[in-house]
Amino acid sequence: MALLPVSEALNRILASAATLPSQSVGLLHARGRTLASPVTSNVDNPPFDASAMDGYAVLADDVATVPATLTVIGESGAGRPFTGTLGKGEAVRIFTGGRVPDDADTIVIQENVTASGAAVTVLEAAARGANIRWRGQDFAKGERLIEPGRRLTARDVLISASCGYGELPVIRKPVVAILSTGDELVTPGTPLGPGQISGSNAYGLSAVVEAAGGEARFLGIARDTMTSLDEFIAAGEGADILVTSGGASVGDHDLVRPALEKAGAKLDFYKIAMRPGKPLFFGSRHPNGKLQYCLGLPGNPVSAMICARVFLVPLIGRLLGRETPFESVDAVLAEAIPANGPREHYMRGLLDLTTGTGRVTPFKSQDSGLVKSLQRANCLVVIPADAPALAAGTPVKVLRLDI
Ligand code: AMP
Ligand code: MG
């Protein structure tokens, strides 16, 4: 059976996924969430003509010739507006953020005056409108400020608060249940017995899920028996995505796929033309009538993490309604690489963006046993299946590992 190309596998995964429903969250919890509908300002900003400086609100005509002595008739501080009217020959003491009195049209900064009792002498002329932030000059009521599909930044949260939102509509986080499998696995931090290794995948994968905007739920480590797998898979009901790692090949102990099928999963595809990560599978099931995607990742930690970057991150992005769930960048090879085999190769490497076009250096060894090289890499260089040897300077697609 021909292996499924990565792009086709990804298209199938994305085609099957629709945006999740939205919910409302308080601004304190909005950063990193994905906006569900536009943020449209409820107010003008600033909401009134405001002083940008500490000084005196005056009529420009009064200070066209200096020195000019004016009578101070009141004060306008932030939150304490002056309520009277300003006449010819008069000034109002004003502070940053104070409302500019209706008749005033200029703010003279306090550095340019001398004050004595109720008299203030302006020593330098100021242009009409100086130091005033006009109502709505930043943004106007009704203006669209943030588009749906955007992952909210701290700056988005700030402007949402400025424009009168206490809560924001965001897409519900996809819940991703993560199941490790393997008789050899122990919880990280516990001493290793003979033949045991730390079950690291669930932790790396949970971090990937959270970084991608999902909510990770670690189910635990299933043993390599049908009974154990049945139990843990049942515990994953309710999640939007069930991710397993390990047990995905065709060895005697590779029971994950049969166990998922037994639990109602309909397989979409199994095995892809990708290096590392051939034994990947994808399908879906409907426990209690609710759709759940099932993604079976290889057990090898490097493969599991790379496959999560290539397939799981975009799937989460699609469920969140992101416009471009799968972003690659263009770069050129900094060094020549040998010919590729029949599977698309996701090479760990370092991307240098300090020059105009990114230059990428794939690591010499791409042994999938090397977790350290994954940790050191900042990107994956995508080398098409059956590519010939490529010279330095060849354009390539690169996936950043910024999660
Ligand atoms: P498997 O697909 O179950 O044969 O696993 C392939 C390799 O990945 C084996 O060397 C496993 O010990 C290792 N492996 C499987 N699951 C994990 C895990 N959760 N953490 C670390 N290594 C794992
Ligand atoms: Mg195993």
Side-chain angles (χ1 to χ4, degrees), residues 179-182 184-185 197-202 205 221 224 245-249 253-254 279 297-301:
L179 177 58
S180 295
T181 71
E184 74 282 26
L185 303 180
I197 62 166
S198 270
S200 55
N201 289 354
L205 295 172
I221 303 169
D224 289 320
S245 78
S249 305
H253 303 288
D254 294 326
L297 299 176
N300 175 290

mmCIF file with all atom_site columns, all heavy atoms in Angstrom, residues 179-182 184-185 197-202 205 221 224 245-249 253-254 279 297-301, ligand 1:
data_model
loop_
_atom_site.group_PDB
_atom_site.id
_atom_site.type_symbol
_atom_site.label_atom_id
_atom_site.label_alt_id
_atom_site.label_comp_id
_atom_site.label_asym_id
_atom_site.label_entity_id
_atom_site.label_seq_id
_atom_site.pdbx_PDB_ins_code
_atom_site.Cartn_x
_atom_site.Cartn_y
_atom_site.Cartn_z
_atom_site.occupancy
_atom_site.B_iso_or_equiv
_atom_site.pdbx_formal_charge
_atom_site.auth_seq_id
_atom_site.auth_comp_id
_atom_site.auth_asym_id
_atom_site.auth_atom_id
_atom_site.pdbx_PDB_model_num
ATOM   1   N N   . LEU A 1 179 ? -2.863 10.133 25.949 1.00 0.00 ? 179 LEU A N   1
ATOM   2   C CA  . LEU A 1 179 ? -2.655 8.817  26.545 1.00 0.00 ? 179 LEU A CA  1
ATOM   3   C C   . LEU A 1 179 ? -1.288 8.273  26.140 1.00 0.00 ? 179 LEU A C   1
ATOM   4   O O   . LEU A 1 179 ? -0.979 8.157  24.954 1.00 0.00 ? 179 LEU A O   1
ATOM   5   C CB  . LEU A 1 179 ? -3.764 7.864  26.060 1.00 0.00 ? 179 LEU A CB  1
ATOM   6   C CG  . LEU A 1 179 ? -3.660 6.415  26.521 1.00 0.00 ? 179 LEU A CG  1
ATOM   7   C CD1 . LEU A 1 179 ? -3.647 6.328  28.049 1.00 0.00 ? 179 LEU A CD1 1
ATOM   8   C CD2 . LEU A 1 179 ? -4.813 5.597  25.957 1.00 0.00 ? 179 LEU A CD2 1
ATOM   9   N N   . SER A 1 180 ? -0.469 7.952  27.139 1.00 0.00 ? 180 SER A N   1
ATOM   10  C CA  . SER A 1 180 ? 0.796  7.264  26.874 1.00 0.00 ? 180 SER A CA  1
ATOM   11  C C   . SER A 1 180 ? 0.534  5.775  26.951 1.00 0.00 ? 180 SER A C   1
ATOM   12  O O   . SER A 1 180 ? -0.321 5.327  27.719 1.00 0.00 ? 180 SER A O   1
ATOM   13  C CB  . SER A 1 180 ? 1.836  7.628  27.937 1.00 0.00 ? 180 SER A CB  1
ATOM   14  O OG  . SER A 1 180 ? 2.144  8.989  27.858 1.00 0.00 ? 180 SER A OG  1
ATOM   15  N N   . THR A 1 181 ? 1.288  5.034  26.164 1.00 0.00 ? 181 THR A N   1
ATOM   16  C CA  . THR A 1 181 ? 1.141  3.579  26.239 1.00 0.00 ? 181 THR A CA  1
ATOM   17  C C   . THR A 1 181 ? 2.516  2.938  26.275 1.00 0.00 ? 181 THR A C   1
ATOM   18  O O   . THR A 1 181 ? 3.434  3.401  25.595 1.00 0.00 ? 181 THR A O   1
ATOM   19  C CB  . THR A 1 181 ? 0.400  3.011  25.002 1.00 0.00 ? 181 THR A CB  1
ATOM   20  O OG1 . THR A 1 181 ? 1.263  3.105  23.855 1.00 0.00 ? 181 THR A OG1 1
ATOM   21  C CG2 . THR A 1 181 ? -0.887 3.763  24.721 1.00 0.00 ? 181 THR A CG2 1
ATOM   22  N N   . GLY A 1 182 ? 2.655  1.916  27.063 1.00 0.00 ? 182 GLY A N   1
ATOM   23  C CA  . GLY A 1 182 ? 3.900  1.150  27.060 1.00 0.00 ? 182 GLY A CA  1
ATOM   24  C C   . GLY A 1 182 ? 4.237  0.578  28.425 1.00 0.00 ? 182 GLY A C   1
ATOM   25  O O   . GLY A 1 182 ? 4.223  1.304  29.417 1.00 0.00 ? 182 GLY A O   1
ATOM   26  N N   . GLU A 1 184 ? 7.024  -0.217 29.463 1.00 0.00 ? 184 GLU A N   1
ATOM   27  C CA  . GLU A 1 184 ? 8.348  0.223  29.924 1.00 0.00 ? 184 GLU A CA  1
ATOM   28  C C   . GLU A 1 184 ? 8.318  1.617  30.558 1.00 0.00 ? 184 GLU A C   1
ATOM   29  O O   . GLU A 1 184 ? 9.319  2.075  31.078 1.00 0.00 ? 184 GLU A O   1
ATOM   30  C CB  . GLU A 1 184 ? 9.328  0.226  28.730 1.00 0.00 ? 184 GLU A CB  1
ATOM   31  C CG  . GLU A 1 184 ? 9.165  1.366  27.703 1.00 0.00 ? 184 GLU A CG  1
ATOM   32  C CD  . GLU A 1 184 ? 7.996  1.175  26.715 1.00 0.00 ? 184 GLU A CD  1
ATOM   33  O OE1 . GLU A 1 184 ? 7.020  0.477  27.058 1.00 0.00 ? 184 GLU A OE1 1
ATOM   34  O OE2 . GLU A 1 184 ? 8.055  1.755  25.625 1.00 0.00 ? 184 GLU A OE2 1
ATOM   35  N N   . LEU A 1 185 ? 7.166  2.281  30.501 1.00 0.00 ? 185 LEU A N   1
ATOM   36  C CA  . LEU A 1 185 ? 7.141  3.699  30.894 1.00 0.00 ? 185 LEU A CA  1
ATOM   37  C C   . LEU A 1 185 ? 6.889  3.893  32.380 1.00 0.00 ? 185 LEU A C   1
ATOM   38  O O   . LEU A 1 185 ? 6.045  3.214  32.970 1.00 0.00 ? 185 LEU A O   1
ATOM   39  C CB  . LEU A 1 185 ? 6.049  4.436  30.121 1.00 0.00 ? 185 LEU A CB  1
ATOM   40  C CG  . LEU A 1 185 ? 6.141  4.367  28.591 1.00 0.00 ? 185 LEU A CG  1
ATOM   41  C CD1 . LEU A 1 185 ? 4.987  5.143  27.971 1.00 0.00 ? 185 LEU A CD1 1
ATOM   42  C CD2 . LEU A 1 185 ? 7.476  4.897  28.096 1.00 0.00 ? 185 LEU A CD2 1
ATOM   43  N N   . ILE A 1 197 ? 11.947 3.320  31.081 1.00 0.00 ? 197 ILE A N   1
ATOM   44  C CA  . ILE A 1 197 ? 12.316 4.680  30.659 1.00 0.00 ? 197 ILE A CA  1
ATOM   45  C C   . ILE A 1 197 ? 11.247 5.659  31.162 1.00 0.00 ? 197 ILE A C   1
ATOM   46  O O   . ILE A 1 197 ? 10.131 5.251  31.492 1.00 0.00 ? 197 ILE A O   1
ATOM   47  C CB  . ILE A 1 197 ? 12.463 4.825  29.117 1.00 0.00 ? 197 ILE A CB  1
ATOM   48  C CG1 . ILE A 1 197 ? 11.125 4.531  28.410 1.00 0.00 ? 197 ILE A CG1 1
ATOM   49  C CG2 . ILE A 1 197 ? 13.554 3.926  28.573 1.00 0.00 ? 197 ILE A CG2 1
ATOM   50  C CD1 . ILE A 1 197 ? 11.110 4.989  26.965 1.00 0.00 ? 197 ILE A CD1 1
ATOM   51  N N   . SER A 1 198 ? 11.637 6.912  31.190 1.00 0.00 ? 198 SER A N   1
ATOM   52  C CA  . SER A 1 198 ? 10.682 7.950  31.585 1.00 0.00 ? 198 SER A CA  1
ATOM   53  C C   . SER A 1 198 ? 9.646  8.125  30.482 1.00 0.00 ? 198 SER A C   1
ATOM   54  O O   . SER A 1 198 ? 10.013 8.269  29.308 1.00 0.00 ? 198 SER A O   1
ATOM   55  C CB  . SER A 1 198 ? 11.394 9.289  31.764 1.00 0.00 ? 198 SER A CB  1
ATOM   56  O OG  . SER A 1 198 ? 11.836 9.415  33.082 1.00 0.00 ? 198 SER A OG  1
ATOM   57  N N   . GLY A 1 199 ? 8.404  8.141  30.836 1.00 0.00 ? 199 GLY A N   1
ATOM   58  C CA  . GLY A 1 199 ? 7.347  8.410  29.861 1.00 0.00 ? 199 GLY A CA  1
ATOM   59  C C   . GLY A 1 199 ? 7.281  9.912  29.626 1.00 0.00 ? 199 GLY A C   1
ATOM   60  O O   . GLY A 1 199 ? 6.567  10.634 30.319 1.00 0.00 ? 199 GLY A O   1
ATOM   61  N N   . SER A 1 200 ? 8.038  10.373 28.661 1.00 0.00 ? 200 SER A N   1
ATOM   62  C CA  . SER A 1 200 ? 8.183  11.822 28.471 1.00 0.00 ? 200 SER A CA  1
ATOM   63  C C   . SER A 1 200 ? 7.130  12.412 27.532 1.00 0.00 ? 200 SER A C   1
ATOM   64  O O   . SER A 1 200 ? 6.789  13.592 27.621 1.00 0.00 ? 200 SER A O   1
ATOM   65  C CB  . SER A 1 200 ? 9.582  12.140 27.925 1.00 0.00 ? 200 SER A CB  1
ATOM   66  O OG  . SER A 1 200 ? 9.805  11.394 26.746 1.00 0.00 ? 200 SER A OG  1
ATOM   67  N N   . ASN A 1 201 ? 6.612  11.601 26.634 1.00 0.00 ? 201 ASN A N   1
ATOM   68  C CA  . ASN A 1 201 ? 5.772  12.156 25.563 1.00 0.00 ? 201 ASN A CA  1
ATOM   69  C C   . ASN A 1 201 ? 4.594  12.978 26.068 1.00 0.00 ? 201 ASN A C   1
ATOM   70  O O   . ASN A 1 201 ? 4.310  14.062 25.545 1.00 0.00 ? 201 ASN A O   1
ATOM   71  C CB  . ASN A 1 201 ? 5.218  11.034 24.681 1.00 0.00 ? 201 ASN A CB  1
ATOM   72  C CG  . ASN A 1 201 ? 6.297  10.397 23.830 1.00 0.00 ? 201 ASN A CG  1
ATOM   73  O OD1 . ASN A 1 201 ? 7.429  10.865 23.826 1.00 0.00 ? 201 ASN A OD1 1
ATOM   74  N ND2 . ASN A 1 201 ? 5.957  9.327  23.139 1.00 0.00 ? 201 ASN A ND2 1
ATOM   75  N N   . ALA A 1 202 ? 3.917  12.449 27.070 1.00 0.00 ? 202 ALA A N   1
ATOM   76  C CA  . ALA A 1 202 ? 2.684  13.112 27.521 1.00 0.00 ? 202 ALA A CA  1
ATOM   77  C C   . ALA A 1 202 ? 2.969  14.534 27.976 1.00 0.00 ? 202 ALA A C   1
ATOM   78  O O   . ALA A 1 202 ? 2.126  15.432 27.806 1.00 0.00 ? 202 ALA A O   1
ATOM   79  C CB  . ALA A 1 202 ? 2.041  12.329 28.647 1.00 0.00 ? 202 ALA A CB  1
ATOM   80  N N   . LEU A 1 205 ? 3.828  16.664 24.869 1.00 0.00 ? 205 LEU A N   1
ATOM   81  C CA  . LEU A 1 205 ? 2.605  16.847 24.073 1.00 0.00 ? 205 LEU A CA  1
ATOM   82  C C   . LEU A 1 205 ? 1.613  17.771 24.782 1.00 0.00 ? 205 LEU A C   1
ATOM   83  O O   . LEU A 1 205 ? 0.960  18.594 24.137 1.00 0.00 ? 205 LEU A O   1
ATOM   84  C CB  . LEU A 1 205 ? 1.958  15.487 23.773 1.00 0.00 ? 205 LEU A CB  1
ATOM   85  C CG  . LEU A 1 205 ? 2.785  14.551 22.873 1.00 0.00 ? 205 LEU A CG  1
ATOM   86  C CD1 . LEU A 1 205 ? 2.142  13.176 22.800 1.00 0.00 ? 205 LEU A CD1 1
ATOM   87  C CD2 . LEU A 1 205 ? 2.943  15.143 21.467 1.00 0.00 ? 205 LEU A CD2 1
ATOM   88  N N   . ILE A 1 221 ? -0.684 6.406  31.887 1.00 0.00 ? 221 ILE A N   1
ATOM   89  C CA  . ILE A 1 221 ? 0.084  5.453  31.078 1.00 0.00 ? 221 ILE A CA  1
ATOM   90  C C   . ILE A 1 221 ? -0.680 4.131  31.020 1.00 0.00 ? 221 ILE A C   1
ATOM   91  O O   . ILE A 1 221 ? -0.873 3.472  32.050 1.00 0.00 ? 221 ILE A O   1
ATOM   92  C CB  . ILE A 1 221 ? 1.478  5.203  31.698 1.00 0.00 ? 221 ILE A CB  1
ATOM   93  C CG1 . ILE A 1 221 ? 2.260  6.514  31.847 1.00 0.00 ? 221 ILE A CG1 1
ATOM   94  C CG2 . ILE A 1 221 ? 2.256  4.185  30.857 1.00 0.00 ? 221 ILE A CG2 1
ATOM   95  C CD1 . ILE A 1 221 ? 3.532  6.383  32.684 1.00 0.00 ? 221 ILE A CD1 1
ATOM   96  N N   . ASP A 1 224 ? 0.476  -2.326 27.927 1.00 0.00 ? 224 ASP A N   1
ATOM   97  C CA  . ASP A 1 224 ? 0.298  -2.901 26.590 1.00 0.00 ? 224 ASP A CA  1
ATOM   98  C C   . ASP A 1 224 ? -0.652 -4.098 26.618 1.00 0.00 ? 224 ASP A C   1
ATOM   99  O O   . ASP A 1 224 ? -0.307 -5.205 26.171 1.00 0.00 ? 224 ASP A O   1
ATOM   100 C CB  . ASP A 1 224 ? 1.660  -3.314 26.018 1.00 0.00 ? 224 ASP A CB  1
ATOM   101 C CG  . ASP A 1 224 ? 2.518  -2.098 25.633 1.00 0.00 ? 224 ASP A CG  1
ATOM   102 O OD1 . ASP A 1 224 ? 1.956  -1.121 25.087 1.00 0.00 ? 224 ASP A OD1 1
ATOM   103 O OD2 . ASP A 1 224 ? 3.731  -2.119 25.892 1.00 0.00 ? 224 ASP A OD2 1
ATOM   104 N N   . SER A 1 245 ? 0.187  7.980  22.243 1.00 0.00 ? 245 SER A N   1
ATOM   105 C CA  . SER A 1 245 ? 1.551  7.834  21.742 1.00 0.00 ? 245 SER A CA  1
ATOM   106 C C   . SER A 1 245 ? 2.009  6.419  21.999 1.00 0.00 ? 245 SER A C   1
ATOM   107 O O   . SER A 1 245 ? 1.735  5.837  23.050 1.00 0.00 ? 245 SER A O   1
ATOM   108 C CB  . SER A 1 245 ? 2.495  8.860  22.381 1.00 0.00 ? 245 SER A CB  1
ATOM   109 O OG  . SER A 1 245 ? 2.863  8.462  23.675 1.00 0.00 ? 245 SER A OG  1
ATOM   110 N N   . GLY A 1 246 ? 2.697  5.876  21.013 1.00 0.00 ? 246 GLY A N   1
ATOM   111 C CA  . GLY A 1 246 ? 3.223  4.517  21.122 1.00 0.00 ? 246 GLY A CA  1
ATOM   112 C C   . GLY A 1 246 ? 2.208  3.483  20.679 1.00 0.00 ? 246 GLY A C   1
ATOM   113 O O   . GLY A 1 246 ? 1.043  3.787  20.388 1.00 0.00 ? 246 GLY A O   1
ATOM   114 N N   . GLY A 1 247 ? 2.699  2.253  20.587 1.00 0.00 ? 247 GLY A N   1
ATOM   115 C CA  . GLY A 1 247 ? 1.831  1.128  20.245 1.00 0.00 ? 247 GLY A CA  1
ATOM   116 C C   . GLY A 1 247 ? 1.173  1.259  18.886 1.00 0.00 ? 247 GLY A C   1
ATOM   117 O O   . GLY A 1 247 ? 0.093  0.707  18.652 1.00 0.00 ? 247 GLY A O   1
ATOM   118 N N   . ALA A 1 248 ? 1.830  1.989  17.994 1.00 0.00 ? 248 ALA A N   1
ATOM   119 C CA  . ALA A 1 248 ? 1.160  2.304  16.724 1.00 0.00 ? 248 ALA A CA  1
ATOM   120 C C   . ALA A 1 248 ? 1.730  1.522  15.537 1.00 0.00 ? 248 ALA A C   1
ATOM   121 O O   . ALA A 1 248 ? 1.262  1.683  14.427 1.00 0.00 ? 248 ALA A O   1
ATOM   122 C CB  . ALA A 1 248 ? 1.254  3.802  16.449 1.00 0.00 ? 248 ALA A CB  1
ATOM   123 N N   . SER A 1 249 ? 2.748  0.719  15.793 1.00 0.00 ? 249 SER A N   1
ATOM   124 C CA  . SER A 1 249 ? 3.290  -0.060 14.669 1.00 0.00 ? 249 SER A CA  1
ATOM   125 C C   . SER A 1 249 ? 2.501  -1.356 14.538 1.00 0.00 ? 249 SER A C   1
ATOM   126 O O   . SER A 1 249 ? 1.338  -1.424 14.911 1.00 0.00 ? 249 SER A O   1
ATOM   127 C CB  . SER A 1 249 ? 4.778  -0.329 14.899 1.00 0.00 ? 249 SER A CB  1
ATOM   128 O OG  . SER A 1 249 ? 5.442  0.879  15.110 1.00 0.00 ? 249 SER A OG  1
ATOM   129 N N   . HIS A 1 253 ? 2.841  -5.968 20.482 1.00 0.00 ? 253 HIS A N   1
ATOM   130 C CA  . HIS A 1 253 ? 2.330  -5.160 21.590 1.00 0.00 ? 253 HIS A CA  1
ATOM   131 C C   . HIS A 1 253 ? 1.680  -3.875 21.098 1.00 0.00 ? 253 HIS A C   1
ATOM   132 O O   . HIS A 1 253 ? 1.368  -2.995 21.877 1.00 0.00 ? 253 HIS A O   1
ATOM   133 C CB  . HIS A 1 253 ? 3.459  -4.847 22.561 1.00 0.00 ? 253 HIS A CB  1
ATOM   134 C CG  . HIS A 1 253 ? 4.099  -6.098 23.073 1.00 0.00 ? 253 HIS A CG  1
ATOM   135 N ND1 . HIS A 1 253 ? 3.468  -6.931 23.959 1.00 0.00 ? 253 HIS A ND1 1
ATOM   136 C CD2 . HIS A 1 253 ? 5.287  -6.681 22.763 1.00 0.00 ? 253 HIS A CD2 1
ATOM   137 C CE1 . HIS A 1 253 ? 4.251  -7.976 24.200 1.00 0.00 ? 253 HIS A CE1 1
ATOM   138 N NE2 . HIS A 1 253 ? 5.357  -7.854 23.481 1.00 0.00 ? 253 HIS A NE2 1
ATOM   139 N N   . ASP A 1 254 ? 1.547  -3.760 19.806 1.00 0.00 ? 254 ASP A N   1
ATOM   140 C CA  . ASP A 1 254 ? 1.004  -2.514 19.249 1.00 0.00 ? 254 ASP A CA  1
ATOM   141 C C   . ASP A 1 254 ? -0.500 -2.643 19.084 1.00 0.00 ? 254 ASP A C   1
ATOM   142 O O   . ASP A 1 254 ? -1.018 -2.970 18.021 1.00 0.00 ? 254 ASP A O   1
ATOM   143 C CB  . ASP A 1 254 ? 1.710  -2.183 17.935 1.00 0.00 ? 254 ASP A CB  1
ATOM   144 C CG  . ASP A 1 254 ? 3.181  -1.869 18.185 1.00 0.00 ? 254 ASP A CG  1
ATOM   145 O OD1 . ASP A 1 254 ? 3.481  -1.301 19.256 1.00 0.00 ? 254 ASP A OD1 1
ATOM   146 O OD2 . ASP A 1 254 ? 4.010  -2.203 17.331 1.00 0.00 ? 254 ASP A OD2 1
ATOM   147 N N   . PRO A 1 279 ? 4.315  5.561  11.358 1.00 0.00 ? 279 PRO A N   1
ATOM   148 C CA  . PRO A 1 279 ? 3.111  4.846  11.825 1.00 0.00 ? 279 PRO A CA  1
ATOM   149 C C   . PRO A 1 279 ? 2.057  5.739  12.459 1.00 0.00 ? 279 PRO A C   1
ATOM   150 O O   . PRO A 1 279 ? 1.550  5.458  13.536 1.00 0.00 ? 279 PRO A O   1
ATOM   151 C CB  . PRO A 1 279 ? 3.675  3.850  12.849 1.00 0.00 ? 279 PRO A CB  1
ATOM   152 C CG  . PRO A 1 279 ? 4.839  4.550  13.425 1.00 0.00 ? 279 PRO A CG  1
ATOM   153 C CD  . PRO A 1 279 ? 5.412  5.429  12.327 1.00 0.00 ? 279 PRO A CD  1
ATOM   154 N N   . LEU A 1 297 ? -0.082 8.873  17.584 1.00 0.00 ? 297 LEU A N   1
ATOM   155 C CA  . LEU A 1 297 ? 1.286  9.306  17.279 1.00 0.00 ? 297 LEU A CA  1
ATOM   156 C C   . LEU A 1 297 ? 2.259  8.160  17.538 1.00 0.00 ? 297 LEU A C   1
ATOM   157 O O   . LEU A 1 297 ? 1.997  7.297  18.379 1.00 0.00 ? 297 LEU A O   1
ATOM   158 C CB  . LEU A 1 297 ? 1.666  10.502 18.162 1.00 0.00 ? 297 LEU A CB  1
ATOM   159 C CG  . LEU A 1 297 ? 0.820  11.761 18.012 1.00 0.00 ? 297 LEU A CG  1
ATOM   160 C CD1 . LEU A 1 297 ? 1.260  12.823 19.021 1.00 0.00 ? 297 LEU A CD1 1
ATOM   161 C CD2 . LEU A 1 297 ? 0.920  12.312 16.593 1.00 0.00 ? 297 LEU A CD2 1
ATOM   162 N N   . PRO A 1 298 ? 3.410  8.191  16.871 1.00 0.00 ? 298 PRO A N   1
ATOM   163 C CA  . PRO A 1 298 ? 4.436  7.188  17.164 1.00 0.00 ? 298 PRO A CA  1
ATOM   164 C C   . PRO A 1 298 ? 4.919  7.332  18.606 1.00 0.00 ? 298 PRO A C   1
ATOM   165 O O   . PRO A 1 298 ? 4.779  8.399  19.205 1.00 0.00 ? 298 PRO A O   1
ATOM   166 C CB  . PRO A 1 298 ? 5.567  7.529  16.190 1.00 0.00 ? 298 PRO A CB  1
ATOM   167 C CG  . PRO A 1 298 ? 5.009  8.517  15.231 1.00 0.00 ? 298 PRO A CG  1
ATOM   168 C CD  . PRO A 1 298 ? 3.842  9.170  15.882 1.00 0.00 ? 298 PRO A CD  1
ATOM   169 N N   . GLY A 1 299 ? 5.508  6.288  19.146 1.00 0.00 ? 299 GLY A N   1
ATOM   170 C CA  . GLY A 1 299 ? 5.981  6.343  20.532 1.00 0.00 ? 299 GLY A CA  1
ATOM   171 C C   . GLY A 1 299 ? 7.296  7.071  20.680 1.00 0.00 ? 299 GLY A C   1
ATOM   172 O O   . GLY A 1 299 ? 7.541  7.749  21.693 1.00 0.00 ? 299 GLY A O   1
ATOM   173 N N   . ASN A 1 300 ? 8.128  6.962  19.683 1.00 0.00 ? 300 ASN A N   1
ATOM   174 C CA  . ASN A 1 300 ? 9.424  7.642  19.746 1.00 0.00 ? 300 ASN A CA  1
ATOM   175 C C   . ASN A 1 300 ? 9.215  9.131  20.038 1.00 0.00 ? 300 ASN A C   1
ATOM   176 O O   . ASN A 1 300 ? 8.474  9.806  19.314 1.00 0.00 ? 300 ASN A O   1
ATOM   177 C CB  . ASN A 1 300 ? 10.116 7.445  18.394 1.00 0.00 ? 300 ASN A CB  1
ATOM   178 C CG  . ASN A 1 300 ? 11.413 8.205  18.310 1.00 0.00 ? 300 ASN A CG  1
ATOM   179 O OD1 . ASN A 1 300 ? 11.422 9.421  18.242 1.00 0.00 ? 300 ASN A OD1 1
ATOM   180 N ND2 . ASN A 1 300 ? 12.498 7.480  18.344 1.00 0.00 ? 300 ASN A ND2 1
ATOM   181 N N   . PRO A 1 301 ? 9.849  9.644  21.088 1.00 0.00 ? 301 PRO A N   1
ATOM   182 C CA  . PRO A 1 301 ? 9.558  11.028 21.495 1.00 0.00 ? 301 PRO A CA  1
ATOM   183 C C   . PRO A 1 301 ? 9.818  12.076 20.415 1.00 0.00 ? 301 PRO A C   1
ATOM   184 O O   . PRO A 1 301 ? 9.025  13.013 20.263 1.00 0.00 ? 301 PRO A O   1
ATOM   185 C CB  . PRO A 1 301 ? 10.492 11.240 22.691 1.00 0.00 ? 301 PRO A CB  1
ATOM   186 C CG  . PRO A 1 301 ? 10.684 9.866  23.257 1.00 0.00 ? 301 PRO A CG  1
ATOM   187 C CD  . PRO A 1 301 ? 10.700 8.945  22.070 1.00 0.00 ? 301 PRO A CD  1
HETATM 188 P P1  . AMP B 2 .   ? 6.200  1.993  20.398 1.00 0.00 ? 1   AMP B P1  1
HETATM 189 O O1  . AMP B 2 .   ? 5.576  2.688  19.243 1.00 0.00 ? 1   AMP B O1  1
HETATM 190 O O2  . AMP B 2 .   ? 5.256  1.775  21.520 1.00 0.00 ? 1   AMP B O2  1
HETATM 191 O O3  . AMP B 2 .   ? 6.898  0.734  19.968 1.00 0.00 ? 1   AMP B O3  1
HETATM 192 O O4  . AMP B 2 .   ? 7.321  2.967  20.956 1.00 0.00 ? 1   AMP B O4  1
HETATM 193 C C1  . AMP B 2 .   ? 8.451  3.324  20.165 1.00 0.00 ? 1   AMP B C1  1
HETATM 194 C C2  . AMP B 2 .   ? 9.549  3.798  21.060 1.00 0.00 ? 1   AMP B C2  1
HETATM 195 O O5  . AMP B 2 .   ? 9.141  4.962  21.759 1.00 0.00 ? 1   AMP B O5  1
HETATM 196 C C3  . AMP B 2 .   ? 9.948  2.804  22.135 1.00 0.00 ? 1   AMP B C3  1
HETATM 197 O O6  . AMP B 2 .   ? 11.361 2.876  22.289 1.00 0.00 ? 1   AMP B O6  1
HETATM 198 C C4  . AMP B 2 .   ? 9.235  3.289  23.358 1.00 0.00 ? 1   AMP B C4  1
HETATM 199 O O7  . AMP B 2 .   ? 9.896  2.935  24.550 1.00 0.00 ? 1   AMP B O7  1
HETATM 200 C C5  . AMP B 2 .   ? 9.272  4.780  23.165 1.00 0.00 ? 1   AMP B C5  1
HETATM 201 N N1  . AMP B 2 .   ? 8.142  5.417  23.823 1.00 0.00 ? 1   AMP B N1  1
HETATM 202 C C6  . AMP B 2 .   ? 6.848  5.067  23.687 1.00 0.00 ? 1   AMP B C6  1
HETATM 203 N N2  . AMP B 2 .   ? 6.068  5.877  24.409 1.00 0.00 ? 1   AMP B N2  1
HETATM 204 C C7  . AMP B 2 .   ? 6.872  6.736  25.039 1.00 0.00 ? 1   AMP B C7  1
HETATM 205 C C8  . AMP B 2 .   ? 6.660  7.806  25.946 1.00 0.00 ? 1   AMP B C8  1
HETATM 206 N N3  . AMP B 2 .   ? 5.446  8.143  26.345 1.00 0.00 ? 1   AMP B N3  1
HETATM 207 N N4  . AMP B 2 .   ? 7.738  8.498  26.371 1.00 0.00 ? 1   AMP B N4  1
HETATM 208 C C9  . AMP B 2 .   ? 8.968  8.160  25.958 1.00 0.00 ? 1   AMP B C9  1
HETATM 209 N N5  . AMP B 2 .   ? 9.229  7.194  25.103 1.00 0.00 ? 1   AMP B N5  1
HETATM 210 C C10 . AMP B 2 .   ? 8.210  6.461  24.651 1.00 0.00 ? 1   AMP B C10 1
#
